[in-house]
Amino acid sequence: MDMVDLLLHPVRIRVVHAFAGGRTLTTAELGEHLPDVPKTTLYRHVGILATAGLLEVIGEQRVHGAVERTYRLDRARTRISPQEAAAMTIDDHRHGFAAAMAALLADFSAYLDRPDADPTADMVGYVQIPLWLNKEEIAAMAEQVRTMLMSKIDNTPELGRRLYLLSPILFPIDQG
C-alpha cells in the first residue's frame, strides 16, 4: 500500500492524530480516545499502520493471557511527500479530501458528544475566509503558517495542555 492510500483513510487519520505529541498508547488506550470506532476496526487499522512502519511497538505485556502492545508513532513517516502529492490524480485528491473531512467530522462529533464539551470555552472555530491572493502572496502566507505551526508541532502532553486539531484547508474557489 502506498503512502497516499495508507494515510488518506478516515480512521487511520484519526489514529495518527491520537498519537500527537509523542504519545505512547496501547490499542485499548487508543480505543478510549476514539470510542466511536469499533474495536475490530481499530485493531485492523493499527495493524495496517504497524505493518507499514508508521506505528512502532515500544513495549509488550501480558494482560489476561493476551499480549498488549504499546505503540509510538513515527511522525516522520506520516507525511505525504511533495513528489507523492504531485503524482496524485484528481480522483486521489477528491478521495483524500473526503477522507480528511470524514475524519474531521468524526473527531468534531466525538468532541461534541463529550459531557464536558464547551465550544466557547475551548475556543472552537470553523470559519471560512475567502482571500484574494497572487502566487507570491499565497507562498508567503503558506510559509508564515508553516513556520508558526512547526514552532508548536513538537509540543508534548503536559499539565495545562490539551490536544487541539487544526485543519487548514486552502484551495481556489474561482476560475483562475
Side-chain angles (χ1 to χ4, degrees):
M1 180 178 297
D2 70 11
M3 196 57 64
V4 171
D5 288 334
L6 183 66
L7 288 173
L8 295 181
H9 184 282
V11 173
R12 291 192 290 269
I13 291 170
R14 294 180 69 204
V15 168
V16 167
H17 292 167
F19 280 94
R23 276 185 172 162
T24 60
L25 300 168
T26 65
T27 308
E29 291 168 334
L30 181 60
E32 293 170 12
H33 291 282
L34 304 173
D36 57 309
V37 178
K39 289 195 184 317
T40 55
T41 300
L42 192 59
Y43 277 86
R44 183 174 70 248
H45 289 291
V46 165
I48 290 168
L49 291 169
T51 299
L54 274 75
L55 290 179
E56 68 175 305
V57 177
I58 60 164
E60 295 183 336
Q61 67 178 8
R62 285 230 172 257
V63 177
H64 305 296
V67 175
E68 179 181 65
R69 291 179 179 88
T70 301
Y71 296 93
R72 175 178 48 217
L73 182 69
D74 181 351
R75 194 179 76 214
R77 301 207 50 213
T78 63
R79 302 282 185 258
I80 295 171
S81 73
Q83 296 80 11
E84 289 167 320
M88 290 172 63
T89 67
I90 295 298
D91 282 341
D92 289 339
H93 283 284
R94 186 173 286 116
H95 169 77
F97 188 81
M101 292 302 95
L104 186 62
L105 181 58
D107 279 336
F108 192 64
S109 292
Y111 162 73
L112 292 175
D113 289 342
R114 293 187 349 219
D116 66 336
D118 186 343
T120 302
D122 293 334
M123 298 179 64
V124 170
Y126 39 87
V127 65
Q128 296 178 351
I129 305 167
L131 303 169
W132 289 95
L133 303 167
N134 63 35
K135 288 189 183 263
E136 293 79 21
E137 290 168 328
I138 196 146
M141 186 180 74
E143 180 58 27
Q144 290 168 343
V145 169
R146 189 192 72 71
T147 299
M148 187 268 309
L149 293 176
M150 295 309 289
S151 75
K152 304 294 183 218
I153 201 160
D154 289 326
N155 283 1
T156 57
E158 63 181 53
L159 189 61
R161 276 193 182 147
R162 293 181 68 188
L163 183 60
Y164 280 81
L165 180 62
L166 178 64
S167 297
I169 300 167
L170 180 69
F171 59 92
I173 58 174
D174 70 339
Q175 303 257 333

